Amino acid sequence: PESDEMLVLDYLRRIDEADKHTTHTLSVSLTAHHDNNINNAPDDDTILFYGFEFDFPQDRVEEYGTEANIRYDLNYAWGNYLQHNGFASLDYTRDNYATQDTLDMSSWAASLGNRFSFDGIKVTLLASGSHQSLHGEGLLRSHGAQTSLSYAWDLKDSNLYISPRLSAGTSNDNYIAQGSDASSGKRHYAKLSNSITYDRAHTFYAALGYSTKEAGDDSLSYTSWSQSLSYRWTAQNGVSLSTFLNRNRSRHSGSPEFVTGDSTLVRRSQPLFGSLSVLLPLPVDSDLTVAVERQLNRADIPNYAYRNTRWSATFTKLFSF
């Protein structure tokens, strides 16, 4: 009947979208940020030099800057029910500081992979590579691969969605900046995580990670354990509040001789990172995110103690086609 014409056209449109094999997404982000301590000098007023302690008072250096990011994602659905997904991405970021030009950073990152779905089980294979530059000079080239396994329980009667995930990967980091060869090496990592969403509004996340790095210099080789916790609340109008906390325990195989006087001494550190952010949806597929981040590094050698607070505001525009 003519009265159902608009309803039929809407169903046909939704069928076409569901049967679409290829989707493209382009996101553009602009960020303004402020740090209360961009100086990575010791947190207190002392340092070690060849094992001897010296007074080394340092003032905190405040800094602000801007960051621009553009990212392109390609997704291709395939299989009898389009349940598998091949995907690729290309990402460019440039971070500029107002006065500390030596800290200006830019990076390219690309990835290619496929996600196989079998009755709730998802297996993802991913290959990635990146190139970073510091102050216009090449700093790091990295490439690697990752495999992950996840499963999803959609408990509609309980309004629960549970998704555990196990991932493992390796990467080869090649530092190309002059004098940084000792930092090059292979990294291996693994992570076990679980995400629980209740009533579509509350999402809890927890993760346990382990990583190792074999560098040319023992003071840059390490083993590390990390624990992460996060919570996100999402309102019906799309506004969300997110918290995140990450704690890391690192054990380096050695220490710089000019610091401790003995390069065989083991160095330990405990970085702690926390953030709080609010996302506000804006018209025409865009949003504004305001965030505060706190970084604290405790170490058994005073030279590596550090703390910083960063405020940021990010505007993101999304294009899908």
Side-chain angles (χ1 to χ4, degrees):
E2 187 175 344
S3 60
D4 291 338
E5 181 179 0
M6 295 306 298
L7 179 63
V8 172
L9 290 175
D10 182 61
Y11 269 106
L12 291 174
R13 177 186 60 81
R14 291 165 61 184
I15 290 172
D16 287 341
E17 289 180 353
D19 197 39
K20 190 176 182 180
H21 286 257
T22 306
T23 57
H24 308 266
T25 305
L26 181 68
S27 66
V28 179
S29 299
L30 297 175
T31 301
H33 54 77
H34 173 270
D35 295 84
N36 77 338
N37 182 25
I38 200 65
N39 183 10
N40 63 355
D43 189 46
D44 54 18
D45 294 333
T46 62
I47 62 169
L48 289 182
F49 185 68
Y50 281 97
F52 295 95
E53 192 171 284
F54 293 89
D55 292 334
F56 194 73
Q58 289 287 304
D59 295 328
R60 294 187 178 183
V61 179
E62 294 191 40
E63 179 63 296
Y64 61 91
T66 59
E67 179 180 300
N69 173 269
I70 182 170
R71 179 185 175 98
Y72 166 74
D73 287 282
L74 168 68
N75 187 85
Y76 178 76
W78 61 280
N80 293 335
Y81 303 100
L82 302 184
Q83 78 272 32
H84 308 309
N85 298 93
F87 54 88
S89 68
L90 183 63
D91 188 289
Y92 174 72
T93 301
R94 182 174 180 84
D95 196 2
N96 291 303
Y97 287 91
T99 60
Q100 306 288 326
D101 292 337
T102 56
L103 299 179
D104 291 348
M105 173 78 74
S106 63
S107 68
W108 286 94
S111 63
L112 179 66
N114 196 91
R115 183 175 296 109
F116 301 91
S117 299
F118 308 98
D119 295 328
I121 299 175
K122 294 183 178 181
V123 179
T124 303
L125 306 177
L126 175 69
S128 61
S130 65
H131 181 278
Q132 297 181 8
S133 297
L134 185 63
H135 192 39
E137 300 292 334
L139 173 65
L140 168 67
R141 292 195 190 102
S142 178
H143 64 273
Q146 177 181 291
T147 302
S148 65
L149 176 68
S150 64
Y151 186 78
W153 283 285
D154 192 354
L155 307 178
K156 296 181 180 179
D157 293 339
S158 304
N159 260 339
L160 280 176
Y161 184 85
I162 304 174
S163 180
R165 184 171 184 264
L166 175 63
S167 62
T170 183
S171 70
N172 194 336
D173 299 338
N174 180 25
Y175 283 84
I176 55 179
Q178 185 175 2
S180 63
D181 292 349
S183 300
S184 299
K186 291 185 177 180
R187 288 188 299 117
H188 307 279
Y189 54 90
K191 179 184 289 187
L192 176 64
S193 63
N194 188 34
S195 174
I196 301 175
T197 300
Y198 172 69
D199 200 27
R200 298 187 179 182
H202 308 278
T203 300
F204 303 88
Y205 172 86
L208 176 65
Y210 175 76
S211 62
T212 65
K213 181 174 181 179
E214 304 167 1
D217 186 339
D218 282 344
S219 66
L220 300 171
S221 299
Y222 62 80
T223 59
S224 174
W225 286 94
S226 64
Q227 304 91 36
S228 302
L229 291 172
S230 74
Y231 166 73
R232 183 179 72 246
W233 169 77
T234 306
Q236 291 184 352
N237 59 1
V239 175
S240 67
L241 174 68
S242 301
T243 61
F244 178 78
L245 183 66
N246 178 266
R247 184 185 182 187
N248 193 296
R249 290 177 176 267
S250 299
R251 182 184 185 276
H252 293 257
S253 301
S255 59
E257 186 175 3
F258 72 89
V259 174
T260 61
D262 183 359
S263 60
T264 63
L265 288 178
V266 173
R267 174 166 66 94
R268 294 178 174 84
S269 61
Q270 297 183 39
L272 182 66
F273 176 85
S275 69
L276 174 66
S277 64
V278 178
L279 184 145
L280 305 172
L282 300 176
V284 197
D285 292 330
S286 59
D287 58 63
L288 176 67
T289 302
V290 179
V292 58
E293 301 173 352
R294 179 66 170 173
Q295 182 178 347
L296 173 66
N297 186 42
R298 293 173 292 179
D300 57 357
I301 299 175
N303 302 47
Y304 301 98
Y306 173 74
R307 65 183 67 200
N308 176 50
T309 301
R310 166 176 284 206
W311 290 87
S312 65
T314 302
F315 170 79
T316 302
K317 169 66 176 173
L318 190 66
F319 303 89
S320 298
F321 49 95

